[in-house]
Structure formats: structure tokens, C-alpha cells
Amino acid sequence: GKHKVIFLSHQWCGASNPDPNKVQYRCSITAIRTVAEDKGWNLDNVYVWCDYFSIPQNHPTIQRLAINSLPMYASSVNAFVVVAPTVPYFNQPERLCTIDSYRRRAWCRAEVFSHVLRCGTSMVYVATEKDINPVSDTSAVIEDAMRIFYGDLTCCALKHKGMEKCDKEQLMLPLLGLFGEAVRTVAEMNSELAKSTVRTGLGQTILDKRHELFPEEFDFITEQGTLVRKPLFSDLIQRMETYVRQHDPQGTTEYIQRRQERIQTASSFLKEKDLDRSPDDFADEEQGAGSGLEAETNALDAPEQAV
């Protein structure tokens, strides 16, 4: 469709204000204009997702639900921009926020990982105070993004004061779902649809290092500074892989190919009729409620029965 969404991924440079010096704001404006111009997008049709104004800030419960959905937001946009100019942290001039500190942040890693796994690297950019450039498949930003659960988290730095859970536990469920997608992508790697894509290469790397990247347990640091071993993924990675592989990969591939054909047909129809409607709308209507893939997805909501 004509409407595009750009995801701005950044680190907070203050405890209550993410950008007190407005440096990230100016960098973001330049990045949005550059991406739109590079892709030939009309700025009037470009929307921006950024956590500070896209996530409710005054309602803790809704805020937490939205934060937990960050990986889904990041994987569902047209372009992804890492906003990482060099700027001092608020009231701590000796502490600099840079592209290197961005790469160490667990939530930033999760956002990059989610987008690249689903969408590849072709629409990922890094914006600094100097310039904005597309990333490569071997970029350090991409490589670091896979090690989400080894990244820095504010909750851990605060020793989880007043918190029942670590953010690692909040990230577990959405990333379990993305792991399932990686398994499915690798299972389809011999199809024309998935062949020779960065998604397939990334998916294989994730499977090869799954026990390292998705740890069964983690160390939870208490307010008293003691470490408590807590479960994280436990055996869910193995169960998810078993579940996905038990379902016919060829059937999934055929489903995706049929969907692509529907989208191409809808695109041609829209071009002829000049209708302002997303091709995905037509594909979804033709799919119907009884597709096998949808049934598989719904089954994952009840892991006791599914696995």
C-alpha cells in the first residue's frame, strides 16, 4: 500500500526523558527524510513508530503490555532505523550514549533481531550525528542482536528493586514465537520462496546456537545483591522445535506460495482499478478461517495440548 511505517529504535539518554538534549530527535528527522527520499516515499504517507510516543507512558499496566509487544511492532514495519548519535547521558556527562552502547542494550537487540528475522536487512539503517547508512548482513549491529539475553538491562542494573520479574522473563514469550518462525524458515530453505535470503541464513544460525541464545535459566539479582537461578526458556525451545517440525513443511510452503499468488493478483487488480486498498486484505479474505497454518498457530496458544 501507499502508507509506510518506519520504526525508530534508540536507547534512552535519561531516566524519565529519552532525549533531553533533542539530539536523537534531530537525527531521527534527518533519517526519516533520507529513507523516504531513498525509497521514493511521499512523506505525507509515512508513519513513525517510536517507543516514547507510541507506548502509553502514564498507565503502567498498558505500558507493560505494549513494551512486551515491542518485538512484534519491530517485525511489522517497512523500514527500521537505529538512531544512535553520540550524546551524553542526562546529568552524567562522562557517560556517553553511542552506537556501541546501543548495541549492548538487550531491548535494542530484541528490536533489531525481531525485524531482521522476519524482514531481512534490506530496510535496516543506522543513523548517527554524521550520516545514515544501510547495514550489511554481517554488521556488528546484526551480529550482536542475536545475543539478546546477554545484553544490558536497566532492571538488572537496579537489582530489580520493587520488581517481581526481570525484563528477560518479559521477553521470553515473544521471542519463543520468533524462534518458531526461525525453525519454519529453515524447514522451507529449499523452496524457491525462501532460498538465498538473509532470513534463512539467520534462521540456521539461530538453530545452530539455540541453546546459547535462548538459555534455559538465568541469574536474577535481588535487591540484596544475591544471585538466584531462575527458569527462563526451560524446555520450551525444544518443545517449540518439535512442534514445528512435526507439521508438514511442504504444506506450509505451498500455503505461502498460494498467498503470494493471491497478493500478486490483488496487486494487479488494484493497479487496474486504482483502488486504495492493501493487497493483504484480499489475500486474507481468500484465505478463510479454516487454513491449516492458522489452525497451527492457534494450537500454540495451548502448549499442553499442542506439544
Side-chain angles (χ1 to χ4, degrees), residues 52-126:
Y52 187 62
F53 54 75
S54 299
I55 289 178
Q57 299 296 319
N58 297 321
H59 193 294
T61 301
I62 297 179
Q63 181 186 52
R64 174 50 62 183
L65 290 173
I67 290 174
N68 292 349
S69 301
L70 269 176
M72 300 303 104
Y73 294 140
S75 64
S76 305
V77 296
N78 302 100
F80 186 101
V81 178
V82 173
V83 181
T86 298
V87 56
Y89 194 85
F90 184 66
N91 283 341
Q92 298 181 38
E94 74 285 354
R95 176 183 172 186
L96 293 180
C97 296
T98 66
I99 183 61
D100 291 332
S101 60
Y102 171 93
R103 285 165 42 200
R104 291 194 297 267
R105 301 298 301 172
W107 278 104
C108 296
R109 291 180 176 187
E111 292 168 2
V112 174
F113 175 89
S114 302
H115 180 82
V116 172
L117 181 60
R118 278 190 171 179
C119 308
T121 60
S122 63
M123 295 298 290
V124 179
Y125 298 80
V126 174

Side-chain angles (χ1 to χ4, degrees), residues 183-199:
V183 176
R184 191 183 301 279
T185 299
V186 172
E188 297 163 1
M189 65 186 305
N190 293 323
S191 73
E192 290 299 322
L193 190 66
K195 192 180 295 182
S196 300
T197 66
V198 66
R199 290 183 66 246

Side-chain angles (χ1 to χ4, degrees), residues 4 11 13 19 39 62 92 96 116 118 121 133 158 170 175 188 191 193 204 228 251 267 283 289:
K4 307 297 180 182
Q11 58 192 316
C13 298
D19 187 27
K39 298 302 176 182
I62 297 179
Q92 298 181 38
L96 293 180
V116 172
R118 278 190 171 179
T121 60
N133 293 298
L158 296 176
Q170 307 290 354
L175 289 174
E188 297 163 1
S191 73
L193 190 66
Q204 185 61 59
V228 178
S267 297

